[in-house]
Amino acid sequence: MIAYIKGPLSYVSDHTAIIDAHGVGYQVHVSSSTLSRLPSRGSEVQLFTYMQVSESGQSLHGFLTQEELRLFTLLISVSGIGPKVASGILSTLSPQQVIIAIVADDAAALSKAPGVGKKTAQRVLLELRDKIKTTDPWENSSDEQATSISAPGPRSEKQDAMDALLALGYGRAEAMQAVLEVADENTSADQIIRQSLKKLAR
C-alpha cells in the first residue's frame, strides 16, 4: 500500500500528474480540483494516494489532503460509483460540500457532478448517510457537556453535524466543542456544519 508520494512535480496533463520520487516517475490520477491546486513543475509536492487494482491493471489516485482521500474512498464504496465518477464529484464539490449534501439529503447538489444523474445521486445519499453515522457522541460526555447539549437546538441536527465533522476527519472532542458553540434553537444541520468548519479552520 502506497500511503503518499512526495517529490518534484515532473509533468502535468489532463487529470494526471507525474511525481519523481527518488528517480522513479509515478503517474497519479487527480481530479481537476487537485490539478488546479498543484504547484509549478519542478516544485515538490506530496499527494496522499489510493491504489486501485482491477482486472485491467493498477492505477494511483492522488489527493492534496487526507480529507479528500477519505471522501474519495467513501464515494467509491457506493455501488456503481468508480474512481472516475468519484473524481468528478470531488472536482465539482469540496469534501465539505459533499458531506453537507449527504446530511441535507441534497441530491441536486451531487447531480451537478459529471456522470451523476438523479438516481446515482440518490444512491450516494442512501448508502453514505448510514456510513457517516456514528454512535451518539453525547452519551459518554461529561455532565457539563450533557447539560449543554440539552440547550436549544434539536438533538438530531447536532448529531448529524457531529457525524459530518467526524467523517471529515476531525477529532471527537474538537467537533463536539465546535457544534456546542454554534448550535442554537433554529440552526439546521448543514448550517451547524458550515459554522463549525469556519470555527475549526481558525
Side-chain angles (χ1 to χ4, degrees):
M1 177 65 70
I2 301 175
Y4 67 85
I5 296 175
K6 185 177 182 179
L9 181 63
S10 297
Y11 179 78
V12 175
S13 64
D14 289 343
H15 303 297
T16 301
I18 296 179
I19 300 175
D20 182 351
H22 303 292
V24 179
Y26 289 88
Q27 184 180 50
V28 186
H29 297 281
V30 295
S31 69
S32 58
S33 174
T34 297
L35 194 67
S36 67
R37 290 179 288 138
L38 289 175
S40 58
R41 288 178 59 179
S43 300
E44 186 168 87
V45 64
Q46 175 176 292
L47 292 179
F48 298 99
T49 55
Y50 172 86
M51 177 177 282
Q52 180 193 20
V53 180
S54 64
E55 294 180 358
S56 59
Q58 300 178 354
S59 59
L60 277 175
H61 300 267
F63 309 88
L64 285 170
T65 67
Q66 291 183 326
E67 186 179 77
E68 292 169 301
L69 172 59
R70 192 177 296 112
L71 259 294
F72 177 84
T73 56
L74 271 176
L75 287 167
I76 62 174
S77 72
V78 176
S79 56
I81 299 290
K84 184 176 180 180
V85 174
S87 291
I89 293 174
L90 289 175
S91 293
T92 307
L93 304 171
S94 69
Q96 294 93 336
Q97 289 172 324
V98 174
I99 289 295
I100 289 172
I102 294 168
V103 171
D105 201 30
D106 188 356
L110 294 175
S111 297
K112 295 176 182 178
V116 179
K118 184 177 180 180
K119 289 184 178 179
T120 300
Q122 291 289 357
R123 188 162 62 249
V124 171
L125 296 178
L126 177 65
E127 295 188 27
L128 291 192
R129 188 169 178 83
D130 287 338
K131 289 185 179 180
I132 68 172
K133 281 189 174 296
T134 63
T135 56
D136 190 337
W138 320 111
E139 62 185 9
N140 296 318
S141 59
S142 67
D143 291 341
E144 181 180 350
Q145 289 170 325
T147 300
S148 297
I149 203 61
S150 64
R155 186 187 184 95
S156 61
E157 299 293 323
K158 295 175 183 177
Q159 172 69 61
D160 285 345
M162 270 292 296
D163 290 340
L165 293 174
L166 293 175
L168 287 169
Y170 289 100
R172 183 175 293 271
E174 61 179 345
M176 180 182 290
Q177 184 63 39
V179 169
L180 289 174
E181 289 180 7
V182 305
D184 60 32
E185 185 175 1
N186 300 311
T187 314
S188 64
D190 61 320
Q191 290 174 322
I192 296 173
I193 296 166
R194 293 178 194 276
Q195 293 174 22
S196 295
L197 287 170
K198 289 180 181 179
K199 182 173 289 293
L200 290 166
R202 292 173 186 169

